[in-house]
Amino acid sequence: MSTTPPSTAPNGRSRVFSESDEIQILKCLIRATKSIPPPITTVGTSTINRIIKRLDHRFTVSQITDKIRRLRDKHHNHARNRALVRNHHDRRIFKLSKRIWGKKATPRKKNNKSEDQGAIEVGGDGVEKLDKFPYLVAEFSKVLPENEVWKQKMKRVGEEKLRKMDQEWVMLKVEEAKLVAKKAELIQLQIMEVMGGNGSANGV
């Protein structure tokens, strides 16, 4: 199946997904979730694999998952500001996306095992608790000690993204510990050089 070659995005960078790819992804999502009332908050691994196959295996699972998130965010932006829907492709994307993310949330029965099992978080419900991300939460608490809104916002980000953000703080703290050790080693060396030379540090 031939597809439109990737073009250049507004920011000047080459687009990974063509406009045709975006349409195919949305159509696959609509077919896969037609029995589930929108908005869709998770996409099953089986659906992700079908999309990859539909696009001739040109993309990875992470690329498809990230693209779905971006399409969802684009839909919400267009829904808030219709002036952003500027061309024919935007209108087509918005029309298809509305069938996936456009309606008010409706309680769903947990009987769709094919889609729920091994589902990949793409936003929406996010996580229930933040105790899995102690370093990230600790840093936000330091900066925003009297503002609890960020906790609710953070819960909507998605577990995969929060885990990555938490790990970034872990790595930073490791680097800080190394820096502290180097500073201690340096000051000890310099004290020995100063105090161990001719005379004392006071020059007596």
Side-chain angles (χ1 to χ4, degrees):
M1 181 183 66
S2 61
T3 59
T4 304
S7 59
T8 301
N11 57 14
R13 294 183 300 179
S14 177
R15 296 177 57 146
V16 176
F17 292 85
S18 67
E19 292 182 352
S20 176
D21 292 333
E22 293 178 344
I23 296 298
Q24 291 299 325
I25 289 172
L26 292 174
K27 286 184 175 180
C28 284
L29 286 175
I30 290 172
R31 284 194 293 269
T33 60
K34 60 183 178 180
S35 62
I36 305 174
I40 305 304
T41 58
T42 58
V43 177
T45 52
S46 59
T47 300
I48 295 290
N49 291 331
R50 282 199 294 271
I51 293 174
I52 292 174
K53 183 178 180 180
R54 181 71 175 176
L55 298 179
D56 299 326
H57 299 275
R58 290 181 288 115
F59 305 103
T60 65
V61 171
S62 60
Q63 285 178 315
I64 295 296
T65 303
D66 182 67
K67 184 61 179 178
I68 292 173
R69 289 195 186 97
R70 292 177 183 274
L71 287 170
R72 181 208 65 210
D73 293 343
K74 183 176 183 178
H75 168 75
H76 292 324
N77 288 334
H78 284 176
R80 286 191 294 266
N81 185 2
R82 295 297 295 273
L84 297 175
V85 183
R86 298 188 179 95
N87 53 49
H88 174 71
H89 178 66
D90 285 344
R91 288 191 293 271
R92 193 176 182 190
I93 287 290
F94 182 75
K95 184 177 180 180
L96 293 172
S97 298
K98 191 175 182 180
R99 297 170 62 180
I100 306 169
W101 300 294
K103 296 181 180 180
K104 186 176 180 180
T106 305
R108 293 165 48 186
K109 295 181 180 179
K110 297 182 179 181
N111 58 359
N112 195 328
K113 295 182 180 179
S114 61
E115 289 300 324
D116 290 343
Q117 188 173 4
I120 297 175
E121 180 64 48
V122 295
D125 291 342
V127 298
E128 294 182 3
K129 297 182 179 180
L130 299 174
D131 53 3
K132 295 181 180 179
F133 322 103
Y135 296 97
L136 176 63
V137 172
E139 295 301 326
F140 268 71
S141 298
K142 292 177 184 177
V143 179
L144 303 170
E146 298 180 0
N147 187 338
E148 296 295 316
V149 176
W150 63 267
K151 291 184 179 180
Q152 299 303 320
K153 296 285 188 180
M154 186 178 288
K155 289 180 180 180
R156 301 174 188 171
V157 173
E159 185 172 351
E160 182 180 349
K161 178 65 174 178
L162 290 177
R163 187 182 296 110
K164 180 180 178 182
M165 295 169 69
D166 189 66
Q167 187 62 29
E168 289 173 343
W169 281 108
V170 173
M171 298 304 297
L172 181 60
K173 289 186 178 297
V174 170
E175 293 300 320
E176 289 177 347
K178 291 179 180 180
L179 180 60
V180 170
K182 288 182 178 180
K183 288 173 65 177
E185 182 180 354
L186 178 61
I187 190 63
Q188 183 178 9
L189 178 62
Q190 291 179 343
I191 288 175
M192 291 177 64
E193 290 179 352
V194 172
M195 302 300 289
N198 294 329
S200 66
N202 293 325
V204 180

